[in-house]
Amino acid sequence: MSGTSTEEGDLPDGFVPLRDMVDNNLAPGKIVNVMGSVTDCQAPFKTSKDFKATWALIDRSIEDEASGIKFNIFRPCESDIPEVSFQDVVVVRKVKVQRYGAGLSLITNHETSIRVYDSSKIPRPPKSAHVALRAPTKKDERPELKKEIHHYVAAFYHKLDKSNAPSEDVFRQAIQQSSNIKDKFSLLQDVQADKFYDIIVRVVRQAHHDYDNKATLYVSDYTENPEFHDHIPQNLTAGEGGDKWGYTFTQPESAAEKWIGPEGKRSLQITCWEPHAGLLRGEVKLGSWIKLRNIQIKYGHDFKYLEGFLREDQTYPDRINIHPLKLDDRENMDDRLKEALRRLHASDKEKKKQIKSIKSAQAAGQKRKVSEVQAAEEQPALNSKQRRAEKRALQEKKSKSDTSKQNSTQDLIRVGNRQVICEQVKVSPTTIETMLETCYIHAEMDTDVVKLPVPFVNQKYLSFVRVVDFAPSSMEDFAVSRKITQYQDLLDSEGSDQSSLDEDESSGGDNDPTVRRVWEWRFSLLLEDASPTDGRSSPSQVWVVIDNPSAQCLTNLDSDDLRKNNKCLSQLRDTMRILWGNLEEVKASKEVDSKNQAPKQQERSRPNSRSGGGKHTQMPNIDSDEEEQANAHERQDEPGSKEIPLVNKPFMCCIKQYGVRTGKKDKWMRVFAMDGVRIKDV
């Protein structure tokens, strides 16, 4: 509309009527200028980042609608939000239209300007309303309002039908109630009966809608309240299709019946009436995170457990107190939602651990039952005196065995590197040759017992070893970087999935200031048997992986970019010299020697393993260091070869074996890793 006559109530140029928002005639994101009278106000309160206030505005185009248009104000300081009274007139420039909930509303941006006219001082036209203009906040001093705006405000205010607007008492009551909004947020563990709260929760059972316009759902923020109903987990290890043998079949749960919540007293039942129940049908799904405002907590019909109730607002019937939350905007995400996500992650880890424990107990119980049955069939029953004598004999035998193992281990430690200590593992010391032997399981087929080879076993070993090689060949490459993902930004770094290390380290985005990278240790050591041998020509060897936690334990250093941080590289070099002696100088000498004899090496065939009786494991992508060591004996006999002898002390080392997928379906590769070894300070 063009501003032609303030007496007729035409809007000034550049302003839009609020009716365009009611009729959805404006596109979300559009920047507009509006004018309206304040009919509702929520006092400013602190959010996670800004201060927020909400007003309701009406003009002549919607004067018959009491609810008005919502105007959401976000400012970094509370003093930047203007003060308003009942029916004050506000002129808002460069405000953004947004779609939130059922309809359109207004929200400020960094260019928004707000000016307020005191309704009690606005004169009747044709006088100017400039005398009623309140002092602006520092943020709203510019731009200045034109004279025609002051004249229009006077005509606007006195021609506006205010009969449908809430009374001044209701207005003041709304401000008083909203002034306590920052104190209403609570975790579920702290809610009490007969009080109202704001909560941030996850939907763990989808809403069930009744015929009387209400819906019931279950939510959780993964905190525990002793007054909640105790939800018992249902057969954590059972499959979806019945029993594990396939003899029975169970109908899969429907979406409405599916439960994804935690066990115990950590979930709350909430009953919602219209207009809130309608929102649950379309926008809130199973697993959604939502913010609920003004939830009443009280005991249910059985007076046993606390429940939540969300009813229609008697003062503002159209107000919706259910707000879906987004997880893809981490910059503006509420800190309380981040804390809830961390609790969810911890709950998932605990549930997986519980399932693993149950499966282990079941397997152990079945094995023990079979062994007990076999023993009962093969041996005659013993009387009480015989059982006591047998028990004493077993205890004496175990005591002697433990003493012998302990003495053997201590003897090896005394002759080894005392500056290297390892975790106390309750296993007997073994050799690398034994570790590398093929593992078998015994399976019953019909009446026969068959030995079947397996690609790997999850097991720990204790072995007396020395370091004879490392990879990568340059210590500057012992640390690698990776990007921080969005989900890792929300969780503690210790809870992040180690498989994330497999990301493309060289992917783009390094010049983007919003991309963060972290450095982690990743290198390998070639260990050689240092235990007394039976005269074999060469002891067995095995490559062991050193991941970030193991390297931190080993070196007591945090990783960094070793090509830029010379101090960290120097500390790493000094620390590793305690472990491997002069190995770095030996490798450097071999590299020089190999360059001098390159023509001869081209004529040789590349061996896949060391010659002699010792065993040797291959590590993928370890450069040519492995081949250099394979040809070491040949080069020693060649004229002009000046190899430096390796000088270092052996040490007791804890090694774990596990399997990793090779990328092919159902294909696994056996891997060894150092675990729980530390180099003591000099």
Side-chain angles (χ1 to χ4, degrees):
M1 297 182 184
S2 61
T4 57
S5 172
T6 58
E7 294 295 332
E8 296 177 359
D10 292 341
L11 282 168
D13 289 335
F15 285 77
V16 299
L18 297 178
R19 170 58 61 182
D20 286 352
M21 301 187 63
V22 176
D23 296 339
N24 290 319
N25 292 333
L26 297 175
K30 185 177 179 61
I31 304 298
V32 297
N33 302 329
V34 298
M35 183 182 302
S37 176
V38 181
T39 60
D40 186 18
C41 176
Q42 292 183 4
F45 66 95
K46 185 71 170 68
T47 66
S48 60
K49 293 191 176 182
D50 300 305
F51 284 87
K52 178 186 178 183
T54 303
W55 301 345
L57 306 179
I58 63 170
D59 64 4
R60 292 191 62 185
S61 67
I62 59 169
E63 59 188 1
D64 57 336
E65 299 184 17
S67 59
I69 294 296
K70 277 190 176 182
F71 175 32
N72 300 289
I73 305 170
F74 289 90
R75 294 285 172 85
C77 302
E78 188 174 5
S79 59
D80 291 334
I81 299 179
E83 294 184 4
V84 291
S85 299
F86 181 59
Q87 294 185 351
D88 282 355
V89 177
V90 296
V91 176
V92 188
R93 290 179 175 272
K94 294 187 177 180
V95 64
K96 186 169 73 171
V97 178
Q98 70 165 353
R99 182 174 297 280
Y100 188 79
L104 298 178
S105 59
L106 299 169
I107 186 171
T108 56
N109 58 77
H110 67 282
E111 294 185 345
T112 302
S113 172
I114 307 171
R115 299 302 301 272
V116 181
Y117 293 83
D118 188 342
S119 60
S120 63
K121 297 180 181 180
I122 298 177
R124 289 189 171 275
K127 292 184 178 181
S128 170
H130 184 269
V131 295
L133 189 63
R134 294 180 184 269
T137 66
K138 187 174 181 180
K139 186 173 180 60
D140 299 316
E141 291 176 346
R142 295 288 184 272
E144 293 287 346
L145 296 179
K146 297 180 180 179
K147 292 182 180 180
E148 52 265 30
I149 298 293
H150 302 318
H151 286 282
Y152 177 79
V153 168
F156 169 85
Y157 176 74
H158 289 286
K159 287 183 175 291
L160 184 66
D161 183 5
K162 311 175 188 67
S163 59
N164 292 326
S167 66
E168 186 171 1
D169 292 337
V170 174
F171 182 88
R172 292 176 178 174
Q173 183 180 1
I175 295 179
Q176 184 177 2
Q177 290 178 349
S178 64
S179 63
N180 298 324
I181 190 170
K182 59 184 178 182
D183 298 325
K184 291 175 65 176
F185 177 80
S186 175
L187 298 175
L188 292 185
Q189 66 183 10
D190 299 322
V191 299
Q192 300 176 8
D194 303 321
K195 291 186 178 181
F196 290 82
Y197 297 96
D198 296 344
I199 57 177
I200 291 178
V201 290
R202 184 184 186 220
V203 178
V204 297
R205 175 172 285 178
Q206 195 165 329
H208 172 71
H209 294 268
D210 296 334
Y211 292 105
D212 52 353
N213 294 327
K214 70 177 182 181
T216 302
L217 71 158
Y218 285 85
V219 299
S220 176
D221 66 357
Y222 299 89
T223 62
E224 187 171 10
N225 191 311
E227 300 296 319
F228 288 178
H229 177 68
D230 190 1
H231 290 273
I232 301 174
Q234 299 293 325
N235 195 7
L236 295 176
T237 60
E240 295 182 356
D243 66 282
K244 64 180 181 180
W245 294 281
Y247 292 121
T248 62
F249 177 79
T250 57
Q251 190 71 20
E253 290 179 309
S254 65
E257 296 174 345
K258 189 173 183 180
W259 175 269
I260 61 172
E263 69 278 1
K265 301 180 179 182
R266 295 193 286 174
S267 300
L268 175 69
Q269 175 182 315
I270 295 180
T271 303
C272 304
W273 283 264
E274 294 293 349
H276 316 292
L279 181 70
L280 296 175
R281 289 188 177 91
E283 299 187 30
V284 178
K285 305 295 184 182
L286 183 68
S288 299
W289 286 90
I290 56 177
K291 181 177 181 180
L292 301 174
R293 294 188 58 237
N294 213 34
I295 290 287
Q296 182 187 17
I297 302 295
K298 66 176 187 176
Y299 286 99
H301 297 300
D302 55 3
F303 297 99
K304 288 184 178 181
Y305 310 110
L306 290 180
E307 297 180 11
F309 300 89
L310 185 58
R311 297 181 174 83
E312 177 186 22
D313 192 315
Q314 298 299 320
T315 306
Y316 305 102
D318 296 332
R319 177 172 293 173
I320 303 293
N321 287 332
I322 301 178
H323 304 291
L325 301 176
K326 296 181 179 180
L327 302 182
D328 55 358
D329 187 7
R330 64 181 182 183
E331 293 183 358
N332 299 316
M333 184 179 292
D334 194 317
D335 291 337
R336 297 168 297 193
L337 174 57
K338 292 181 181 179
E339 291 296 328
L341 286 168
R342 293 187 181 99
R343 292 193 296 271
L344 166 61
H345 186 67
S347 177
D348 287 344
K349 289 177 64 177
E350 184 63 28
K351 188 173 182 179
K352 291 178 181 178
K353 187 185 298 184
Q354 184 180 2
I355 293 174
K356 184 177 180 180
S357 176
I358 291 173
K359 289 182 177 179
S360 299
Q362 290 176 343
Q366 293 174 356
K367 184 177 180 180
R368 183 170 58 251
K369 184 176 180 181
V370 171
S371 63
E372 290 174 353
V373 171
Q374 291 176 347
E377 292 176 350
E378 295 174 0
Q379 297 182 359
L382 303 177
N383 57 36
S384 58
K385 184 176 180 179
Q386 291 172 327
R387 286 196 299 269
R388 287 195 298 269
E390 184 179 11
K391 185 177 181 181
R392 284 195 298 269
L394 289 174
Q395 289 177 344
E396 291 176 359
K397 183 178 180 181
K398 184 177 183 301
S399 177
K400 291 179 180 179
S401 176
D402 292 343
T403 302
S404 175
K405 292 176 182 178
Q406 185 176 3
N407 292 338
S408 175
T409 303
Q410 294 298 327
D411 291 341
L412 291 175
I413 293 174
R414 276 194 289 269
V415 300
N417 193 338
R418 296 188 179 184
Q419 287 185 255
V420 182
I421 60 177
C422 76
E423 176 187 1
Q424 295 296 324
V425 183
K426 296 181 178 180
V427 295
S428 302
T430 186
T431 63
I432 292 178
E433 183 179 16
T434 303
M435 278 188 268
L436 297 177
E437 291 177 353
T438 304
C439 301
Y440 295 91
I441 61 171
H442 294 78
E444 292 187 4
M445 299 185 65
D446 298 331
T447 58
D448 299 329
V449 177
V450 181
K451 290 175 58 178
L452 299 177
V454 292
F456 69 92
V457 291
N458 293 320
Q459 189 172 342
K460 282 189 176 183
Y461 306 93
L462 199 62
S463 187
F464 197 54
V465 298
R466 61 163 43 92
V467 182
V468 296
D469 201 355
F470 59 81
S473 58
S474 175
M475 291 188 66
E476 286 84 350
D477 297 325
F478 273 29
V480 296
S481 68
R482 64 180 177 87
K483 293 180 181 179
I484 292 291
T485 64
Q486 178 184 9
Y487 192 61
Q488 286 171 322
D489 230 17
L490 303 177
L491 302 175
D492 298 327
S493 60
E494 65 184 16
S496 61
D497 189 355
Q498 290 298 323
S499 64
S500 62
L501 292 175
D502 295 333
E503 293 179 359
D504 183 7
E505 313 295 349
S506 61
S507 60
D510 291 338
N511 296 324
D512 187 349
T514 62
V515 174
R516 293 171 49 209
R517 305 188 74 90
V518 294
W519 287 86
E520 296 186 351
W521 299 114
R522 193 198 297 176
F523 57 95
S524 303
L525 299 178
L526 182 60
L527 303 182
E528 183 178 85
D529 259 331
S531 303
T533 62
D534 54 0
R536 290 174 310 192
S537 58
S538 58
S540 299
Q541 297 179 341
V542 63
W543 279 102
V544 294
V545 177
I546 316 292
D547 60 10
N548 191 58
S550 298
Q552 287 176 326
C553 175
L554 178 69
T555 64
N556 199 28
L557 295 172
D558 291 327
S559 61
D560 200 353
D561 187 352
L562 300 180
R563 298 187 181 277
K564 296 180 180 179
N565 192 335
N566 293 328
K567 181 180 178 181
C568 183
L569 178 61
S570 177
Q571 290 175 335
L572 176 64
R573 180 169 279 113
D574 293 341
T575 302
M576 296 304 290
R577 189 174 286 116
I578 299 173
L579 184 73
W580 62 40
N582 66 337
L583 177 60
E584 196 172 4
E585 291 81 0
V586 172
K587 283 178 65 69
S589 174
K590 289 181 179 180
E591 290 177 0
V592 173
D593 190 40
S594 63
K595 290 180 181 178
N596 296 334
Q597 302 193 23
K600 295 182 179 181
Q601 287 195 4
Q602 291 178 358
E603 297 175 2
R604 294 193 189 101
S605 61
R606 289 187 164 184
N608 291 326
S609 61
R610 290 173 55 93
S611 59
K615 296 183 180 179
H616 181 76
T617 61
Q618 299 284 328
M619 291 292 291
N621 302 323
I622 297 291
D623 341 272
S624 61
D625 298 322
E626 206 172 329
E627 300 168 18
E628 291 296 325
Q629 188 168 7
N631 298 323
H633 297 290
E634 297 181 29
R635 292 202 304 269
Q636 287 178 354
D637 300 331
E638 294 176 359
S641 176
K642 298 180 181 179
E643 288 193 2
I644 301 175
L646 177 62
V647 179
N648 58 25
K649 290 184 178 181
F651 58 94
M652 189 61 69
C653 180
C654 181
I655 302 173
K656 62 181 179 182
Q657 179 188 164
Y658 58 95
V660 296
R661 292 188 181 274
T662 61
K664 300 179 181 179
K665 186 178 180 181
D666 298 330
K667 296 295 183 181
W668 292 82
M669 178 178 66
R670 181 167 60 171
V671 177
F672 295 89
M674 184 179 289
D675 184 59
V677 179
R678 184 166 70 88
I679 303 172
K680 296 193 295 185
D681 295 334
V682 181

